[in-house]
Structures are given as structure tokens and as C-alpha cells.
Amino acid sequence: MSTDNTFNITKVSSTRVENVNLDDPGFGERFSDHMLEVEYREGQWQKPSIKPFGTIEVTPALNTLHYGQSVFEGMKAYYADENTVNLFRPEKNHQRLVRSCKRMCIPPVSEDVFIDGITKLIKLDHQWVPQKEGNTLYIRPFVCAFDPIISARVSDSYRFFIITTPVGSYYNRPVKLTTSQKYARAVKGGVGAAKTAGNYAASLYPAQEAEEKGFDQVLWLDACEHKFVEEVGTMNIFFVIDGVLVTPELSGTILPGITRASVIQLAKHWGLPVKERRLTIDEVMEAGANGTLDEAFGAGTAAVIAPVEEIHHDGQSVRFDFEQRGPVGQKLHDQITDIQWGKAEDPFGWITPISVNS
């Protein structure tokens, strides 16, 4: 085991990367050689450890299993060249993790541990970063309660982990969306803006029902009136209506996506009209019917820019003729991914490069 001022590091004796096809890795199925773990006890976070990836032993009474006090993030690392791996806006992921922790009564992890931990993991496991265009190393930081007590209260102990996994495309074709008049993802005053496990667990059954009807995901509407568009189960949603890029405003029930913010900033930089506002599903369907809905796409870390093929609501559908992305979505996708992969200028300072051979 080696140590530095802030981390204990135990390296694997030999890598498993030769056993993984990085050109076709699936999504979240194989995990890199190392992981990070930090324990919170006695009112403070302890010294971080990087160790071989493996199982952890927990008690059946672990309170996070019963009461769901956990939050997570989703990030990617991008192969730039044999010496460099890029991170995309990692400080924004840390800021969102801190906000999620606050909402779930979890002590926040410091930015130093978050960024430095990811950096050290990437340096150790840089061979796991796929070189094939479109494939990346997915990074999953998460925090969970660790008290061995079945009691509905705030925990006294926590664990922070970072694991990584090589991934391919999340969606390999345009997606079909349907609304739900019966279920809701989030309510005002709830935890919709936090990236917490329960949000995703609650969305699985409606998503399963949507899949049984031939759709890929639910286009969530507001919980009170089932009238206003909010987001898709796995990403934020954008529409190009009469030449204007429109997305639902953040109101506490929508996850503030890092890719969402990047799309808005980039579009404004180009001079493309952008509006963040309340948007009814009836307006979307009417724009589709009268020809002013030019395109729709989702935006998220896993999907980047995912084109929408169909929007279904109340027995009616709007369909798009694009085999892949529309012109706005394609332009945004190309620019964002080129910045991420180091192929284009980064005018916003979004990229944090990691020198993997130093």
C-alpha cells in the first residue's frame, strides 16, 4: 500500500482490462480495477482510500437499504490522446452532489476529495478509458447512510464511493416518449431536484409500463395538473419550436442537468434564441400538428443529445422524420462531444484534462 498526504492507495496486482472488449463494453456491466471509499464517522470524513474494486460487506440492518438516504452523480471521462483523459465540468457535478446531500441530510463531500479522488482513479485506470469514438469511461460517485440500525432517522455514519465502468452509447437510436396522466415523478417541495436513488426507483414502474406499450421512456408532466412538461426519466428535454430552443424552467421538480446547462450556454453563445419557461404538453402537441415543432431531443450525461422520434400524449402522437438527430440537436451534439474529446476549442473552460502518464 502506498500513501500520500490525503489518500491511502492499494493497487491491484494485475489489471483485468484485457478481459473486457472496450469497443463493445455495454453500459455499466464491467467495472475498472480500482474504487475509492471514504468513511464518515465521529462527525467528520476520514482519510480516503483507493483500493481494488470488489464487494463490500454490509449488515441487513443497514439503514440506507431501508430508508433510502443516498445520493449519486453520473460523469464521464473521455480519451483525448495517449497522454490525456478529459473530464467535463466535474466541479458542476460536485456542486450538484453537495445540493443533493443537503436535501437528504448527508454531510457534504469536499471538492478536493471529489476531484482528486476521480483524478487519482483515472490515472490508475486510464487503460480502461475506451478509445473508440462514442465510448467513454462512466464515473459513478455516490454517498449512502451506513448506520447498522433500522430506524427512520438521519444516520450518523456514511460511506462515499467512486466506481468507474467503460460504457458505450446509452441510446443507439431515436427514442419514443409517452406521457403519463396517472403517475408523477416529483412534486414541489419534494426531492425532484436532488439526484437521489428514490427518484429513480419510483420511476421504474411507469417506465416499464411505457416500454410494454412500445415506448422507450416517460415524458414526465407536473404532478398537480398533469399539464406542464418537466423532463424525461433519464434526461432533460428540449424542443425547437418555430426556431426557438425551449426547455422547461427549473422549478424544484426537475433535475438541473449538467448537459442541460451546457446546451443552453452553447446555444446562447451561437445566438440561437433560448427560452426556459413553463411549457404545456398541449402546446407541444399543437406545435407538432401545425408544423412549428421542428425537433425534440433529450440531454444528459449518459445520452449526451438523444433525438426524439415520437411524442405520444392522450392518444395522439407527434413524429419526426429524422433518422438520427435534427439539425440543432446534431450541431449541439457534435460541438459538445468534440469539446469533451479534445477535438474542438473549449471557449468556456469546461474541460479538466488529466495527464495520465505523469
Side-chain angles (χ1 to χ4, degrees), residues 19-274:
N19 301 323
V20 179
N21 181 3
L22 296 181
D23 287 342
D24 186 20
F27 201 101
E29 301 171 13
R30 304 292 187 95
F31 296 91
S32 309
D33 289 325
H34 298 89
M35 66 181 188
L36 177 141
E37 181 178 5
V38 193
E39 184 179 359
Y40 182 91
R41 54 182 166 81
E42 299 174 356
Q44 62 183 350
W45 288 104
Q46 305 299 309
K47 190 171 185 176
S49 295
I50 291 177
K51 61 180 70 174
F53 177 88
T55 59
I56 58 173
E57 184 174 295
V58 300
T59 169
L62 192 73
N63 60 348
T64 196
L65 299 177
H66 300 271
Y67 302 107
Q69 195 186 1
S70 64
V71 300
F72 66 95
E73 273 300 319
M75 309 164 60
K76 287 180 177 179
Y78 308 86
Y79 180 89
D81 57 47
E82 61 183 10
N83 296 312
T84 309
V85 172
N86 287 339
L87 299 179
F88 184 70
R89 312 191 76 178
E91 73 287 348
K92 295 297 182 184
N93 289 95
H94 174 258
Q95 292 166 12
R96 187 171 64 182
L97 182 76
V98 169
R99 294 194 300 268
S100 296
C101 283
K102 181 178 181 180
R103 182 63 180 85
M104 302 304 291
C105 296
I106 296 173
V109 177
S110 74
E111 183 175 9
D112 286 346
V113 169
F114 186 89
I115 302 293
D116 289 352
I118 292 172
T119 299
K120 291 182 186 298
L121 280 175
I122 297 300
K123 283 178 174 288
L124 281 173
D125 289 342
H126 65 90
Q127 290 177 299
W128 288 80
V129 182
Q131 298 183 28
K132 180 182 176 182
E133 185 174 350
N135 293 357
T136 55
L137 188 72
Y138 190 82
I139 304 167
R140 171 51 57 89
F142 62 101
V143 195
C144 56
F146 237 74
D147 277 2
I149 299 171
I150 298 178
S151 178
R153 61 168 178 78
V154 174
S155 184
D156 292 322
S157 57
Y158 300 86
R159 297 282 178 90
F160 172 59
F161 296 91
I162 305 175
I163 58 178
T164 63
T165 170
V167 298
S169 298
Y170 195 77
Y171 292 117
N172 56 15
R173 57 173 176 76
V175 297
K176 298 180 179 181
L177 307 177
T178 184
T179 60
S180 174
Q181 302 278 23
K182 183 178 180 181
Y183 302 104
R185 176 190 172 272
V187 298
K188 287 188 180 295
V191 295
K195 201 167 178 66
T196 182
N199 284 343
Y200 294 82
S203 70
L204 294 177
Y205 184 73
Q208 186 179 64
E209 283 196 344
E211 289 175 7
E212 290 171 354
K213 296 175 183 177
F215 299 96
D216 298 294
Q217 267 290 343
V218 176
L219 177 60
W220 290 106
L221 306 178
D222 72 286
C224 296
E225 300 178 75
H226 290 283
K227 175 181 178 182
F228 295 96
V229 175
E230 298 214 317
E231 65 174 89
V232 182
T234 53
M235 51 194 174
N236 297 114
I237 188 72
F238 285 84
F239 306 93
V240 180
I241 302 176
D242 202 17
V244 178
L245 186 63
V246 182
T247 192
E249 64 185 5
L250 299 178
S251 57
T253 57
I254 296 173
L255 187 72
I258 312 303
T259 309
R260 175 189 183 275
S262 304
V263 164
I264 292 170
Q265 187 174 351
L266 190 55
K268 289 180 177 179
H269 179 71
W270 289 338
L272 181 67
V274 180

